[in-house]
């Protein structure tokens, strides 16, 4: 939502621990381009009595919701980033009450609860290094913007009280490189895998690419095809649709920077 | 245990629905070689108050426990096999009470409960077609035996009340084909993916390949290397270690034959 990612640069070489320390100290910036080669993750924390619904929703919708870790109730620790505190170490959060956004603090220590279970969900930033190495340009990075994300007309398979539409991220890709992008990302199923669609946005019920539901608009260049990947913001759309009493997520684009190398999620 | 799989033959062309009908009618036979090209699945059904622990155990141990479907409490239906009844359509079950095997009936309608949640877990039979097509011989099929499975000294990451060792299946593979087998199975992470080890069984704490914990011994041929894949019997080992009050599983080797093509679980 209008957040502007910085272009790659000196932040690419910052260690994940140093990035998290900067965010813990109050720096509130999107994480695209930070700690190149390390996996970033979406956060969704819900009360324990909703945890089974979230975990089952993720199992039933693995392309948008690949689960990388689940915490113990109340614990702010994750195996993906030893020493990190999930209440402070993301640059910006979104707090949810009854399915409505209720603030975007940079620290959630004050609203954390002893019964919260946090889910860390794979993020498509993880495969961008592989795309770049293969010569696939990243238009949103070139343009210094956050990746655009859209609500689709494809409903996820419901689970318990959770239901909602699939969210996708979109990258414009030169037509001759669409197959390369498909092949490479298929090898990373834990971070959304192959695209769900390439070509006409109307196939996904997206009316206007210039008006994303999350992130920034990213104009295509001549010869580019819009390519859509399932997106880890999908659980936030499910919160909006299903309205649990309380939840905490990352703010779109403001991810957890983990210690895990991107390559750990390549199956081959 | 000690169940003997039939060699491939006319059963390979039986449709999954016909296979399930035969088992429903009482045929109690291992499913290796049945309905070639269709995915087979491990079954573990537990009371609903254990379901979160099982689902989290699976999330934390995706190589041995890739979840293909989870049922609604009490329902014997699965999206993997429309029309199937999970209480009758497997050839043989194992009933568990307090972590101990308590019978191997061919029908569990009489002991089914309204609060049971069934998990269908991926099975390494699913990648055997790809191995065979690539010229990797399947010694257990040549010998008309069930694949051998072993408890290892590698502990799974615990989840709630569930803990236990990883179980592996073993296939002897000619040394020059081990890389082929590794590469092909890596592309199928939903059915255990790449091997966890190839070579010395002692690395996994396996003392004697001729004495598997489940299935049949399968002697290697000269030049073969033992190759070990994470195995969907791992949740049964967790039942033995963790002792929930009640559970129902398939009997080893007696799987659910689903309608899903094996190729659906190839990422590329």
């Amino acid at each position: 939502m209008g957040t502007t990612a910085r272009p790659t640069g000196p932040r690419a070489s910052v260690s994940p621990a140093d990035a998290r320390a900067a965010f813990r100290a109050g720096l509130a910036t999107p994480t695209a381009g930070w700690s190149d080669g390390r996996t970033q993750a979406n956060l969704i924390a819900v009360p324990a009595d909703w945890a089974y619904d979230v975990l089952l929703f993720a199992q039933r919708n693995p392309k948008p919701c690949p689960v990388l870790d689940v915490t113990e109730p109340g614990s702010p620790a994750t195996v993906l980033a030893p020493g990190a505190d999930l209440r402070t170490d993301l640059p910006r959060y979104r707090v949810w009450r009854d399915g409505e956004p209720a603030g975007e603090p940079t620290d959630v220590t004050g609203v954390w609860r002893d019964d919260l279970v946090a889910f860390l969900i794979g993020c498509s930033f993880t495969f961008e290094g592989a795309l770049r190495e293969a010569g696939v340009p990243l238009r949103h990075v070139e343009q210094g913007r956050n990746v655009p994300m859209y609500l689709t007309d494809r409903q996820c398979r419901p689970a318990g009280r959770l239901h909602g539409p699939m969210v996708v991220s979109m990258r414009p890709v030169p037509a001759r490189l669409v197959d390369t992008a498909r092949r490479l990302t298929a090898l990373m199923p834990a971070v959304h895998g192959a695209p769900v669609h390439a070509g006409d946005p109307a196939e996904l019920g997206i009316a206007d690419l210039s008006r994303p539901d999350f992130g920034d608009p990213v104009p295509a260049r001549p010869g580019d095809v819009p390519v859509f990947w399932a997106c880890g913001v999908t659980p936030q759309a499910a919160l909006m649709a299903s309205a649990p009493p309380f939840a905490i997520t990352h703010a779109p684009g403001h991810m957890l920077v983990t210690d895990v190398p991107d390559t750990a999620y390549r199956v081959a």
Side-chain angles (χ1 to χ4, degrees), chain A residues 42 63-65 123-125 127 146-156 164-171 192-209 211-216 226-237 252:
Chain A
N42 301 273
K63 287 203 76 153
C65 309
C123 170
S124 59
F125 291 171
F127 60 59
N146 198 352
V147 72
M149 295 162 264
Y150 305 87
L151 297 164
T152 71
D153 63 4
R154 296 198 188 174
Q155 289 299 308
C156 290
M166 182 170 65
V167 177
V168 293
S169 65
M170 186 281 290
R171 289 164 185 77
H192 305 305
V196 293
H197 181 62
D200 186 2
E203 286 286 314
L204 295 171
I206 299 168
D208 184 351
L209 286 182
R211 299 183 56 194
D213 296 292
F214 311 90
D216 300 322
V227 181
F228 301 90
W229 280 268
C231 177
V233 170
T234 299
Q236 294 195 31

Side-chain angles (χ1 to χ4, degrees), chain A residues 48-114:
Chain A
D49 72 331
W50 281 73
Y52 182 71
D53 288 2
V54 172
L55 191 53
L56 188 60
F57 186 82
Q59 190 282 323
R60 288 181 174 172
N61 301 283
K63 287 203 76 153
C65 309
V67 178
L68 306 185
D69 193 34
V70 182
T71 63
E72 299 299 326
S75 167
T78 169
V79 294
L80 305 177
D85 186 324
L86 293 175
R87 302 168 297 186
T88 56
D89 285 12
L90 281 73
R92 192 177 288 285
Y93 299 83
R94 183 173 282 175
V95 176
W96 301 77
R97 295 187 191 279
D98 298 320
E100 301 284 342
E104 294 210 348
T106 60
D107 181 313
V108 291
T109 306
V111 292
W112 192 261
R113 294 166 32 160
D114 282 349

